Amino acid sequence: MFNETLQKYSFLKDLGIEEVNSGACSGVDTWLPTEGRDLLESISPIDGSVIAKVALATSEDYENVIKAAQEEFQTWQMIPAPKRGLIIRDFGDELRKYKDALGQLITLEMGKIVAEGKGEVQEAIDISDFAVGLSRQLYGLTMKSERVKHRMFEQYHPLGVVGIITSFNFPVAVWSWNSMIAAVTGDTMVWKPSSQTPLCAIAVQKIANRVMKRHGLKSVFTLVIGRGSEVGEKLLNDRRVPLISATGSTRMGVRVAEVVGKRLGRTILELGGNNAIILMEDANLDLAIRAILFGAVGTAGQRCTTTRRIIVQRSILKEVEERLIKAYKQVTIGDPLDPHTVMGPVVSQQAIKDMLDAINALPPQGGKLIHGGERVNRKGFYITPAIAEAPGNIQMVCTETFAPLLYIIPFDTIDEAIELHNGVPQGLSSAIFTDSVKYSERFLSTIGSDCGIANVNIGTSGAEIGGAFGGHKDTGNGGVEAGSDAWKQYMKRQTSTINWSDELPLAQGIKFGE
Ligand code: UN1
């Protein structure tokens, strides 16, 4: 059977995927044994078939992985940051070679269309380039001391072993946002990927291993695929891991914050989104409709940044609905590996059920389905993207349903639009479409969008890696990933004062025992 799969998808062989794969790697050439471990099946949402199996890591495997990462930290932290950057540059080049293969594996394992699969690998390449530059820019400040012949400054040191927990929807890019930055700062890391996308993680680990081997390094990047209840909890409770960066549901994030917070560890949390676009009546609708389509239907509605709500000025409501339905009708649904497909499957049968449950819950709350939401009659997990009208922030609108379900909510005044916009628990990404400076500036002001990302005439999804990525309220704790100064979270700050005088003056002018 597996031979057939290999023949059908030759990229699996290029990426080193086997019929039964080890789920734990403590470094170069050290994949831990598969014997005696429970097997996890990787299921393709394209047709529901099993692609390959993965031996789940045990607690003992976890121990081996952490110990290796800890030991490697002793070496890695002593390599000058710009030299670490050069090693990351090699990793970026190796990723470039495997962009097509890895992009296709992402598509096969989680169902996003292949253009988006390859786009995701490009995002990983972009952040590795960013990290190379950053390796020469890990700046601290200098301050003027209040004391004569004293110098004061700060510097940043690496933290140690960083835990990276990723979800199925961006099985490569989200790891890379964390790992590339953590690596140049001098940290080593352990990756716990989603059980829905273990093969993507194994393929990436193999690419990383090859690069690290060339440089005589071993365990900068390590991997552990196991049950949340077993290795996940161990990781959260592990005092040897000073930072956990986790992507997933708000419920999961609360658990991470609780457990890691209790041991005073750091967390970066990237949790649920409920992203809206405000459409003012002066908006360029040609742009807006395209942005909504990409935002709501891209990745089959399974991005954290997916557009879930359109808040539309009443005067253009009818036109927007008509144009959106027309655009939705043109979405070709099918095999995501086929380059003509616009929307592939959702990740699982459960995702279809969640979407249908949400649609069924709408009428009693005053909502109404106006398009889509039908199962597609073919093997795999396919559903047509849906549009629903909602009178306001009814309960279903306040809940993130991780599927292609878009709500349209009318408004009359900008105040009302912003109130609706901010009136949900989540706060990741947001956008306004308008040609008015007054409205766009209002949206970006302190009395505007309350999200971590706020765009003008651009949709809610598809952020570049150069900016900080993260949200507020139920989306997270203010932690950010990717660009800007996100790197500071992966390091510890040290403030130093040096006295080069022959006196010992005290700060605040205190005279003590003189
Ligand atoms: C996510 O959905 O978890 O901004 C990440 C975007 C992508 C990343 C999304 N660059 O849509």
Side-chain angles (χ1 to χ4, degrees), residues 112 123 167 169-170 173-174 177 247-248 270-271 294 299 302-306 402 428-429 453 460-465 469 481:
K112 67 173 69 170
E123 197 162 338
S167 76
N169 64 334
F170 273 81
V174 172
W177 293 350
T247 301
E270 203 246 285
L271 313 174
F294 177 63
T299 323
Q302 300 166 111
R303 288 189 189 220
C304 300
T305 51
T306 288
F402 219 57
L428 179 55
S429 187
I453 299 170
T460 58
S461 67
E464 301 176 21
I465 56 89
F469 186 92
E481 294 167 308

Side-chain angles (χ1 to χ4, degrees), residues 316-447:
I316 54 166
L317 178 64
K318 213 165 168 311
E319 183 186 354
V320 168
E321 284 188 355
E322 278 167 14
R323 289 183 68 169
L324 267 181
I325 290 174
K326 196 169 159 214
Y328 267 53
K329 281 185 176 156
Q330 279 154 19
V331 171
T332 47
I333 300 168
D335 182 352
L337 283 165
D338 176 344
H340 302 296
T341 300
V342 174
M343 193 181 106
V346 290
V347 71
S348 62
Q349 201 60 50
Q350 184 62 41
I352 293 190
K353 186 175 178 301
D354 291 347
M355 177 155 158
L356 294 173
D357 286 351
I359 290 171
N360 289 335
L362 283 176
Q365 295 177 27
K368 188 171 115 198
L369 184 72
I370 60 168
H371 180 77
E374 290 140 9
R375 278 171 197 269
V376 177
N377 188 16
R378 59 183 285 159
K379 258 168 80 187
F381 314 132
Y382 297 85
I383 187 158
T384 58
I387 307 174
E389 282 176 347
N393 288 331
I394 54 176
Q395 192 212 330
M396 274 333 289
V397 171
C398 291
T399 315
E400 182 192 39
T401 304
F402 219 57
L405 171 55
L406 177 69
Y407 299 108
I408 299 189
I409 307 163
F411 74 88
D412 294 302
T413 64
I414 182 82
D415 288 336
E416 213 185 311
I418 297 214
E419 200 180 317
L420 281 166
H421 181 276
N422 294 347
V424 294
Q426 308 83 351
L428 179 55
S429 187
S430 61
I432 190 168
F433 275 74
T434 178
D435 278 347
S436 150
V437 174
K438 224 162 101 182
Y439 293 142
S440 62
E441 289 296 324
R442 163 75 192 273
F443 184 69
L444 301 178
S445 76
T446 179
I447 52 168

Side-chain angles (χ1 to χ4, degrees), residues 27 185 189 249 409 460 475:
T185 64
M189 64 217 76
S249 66
I409 307 163
T460 58
T475 298

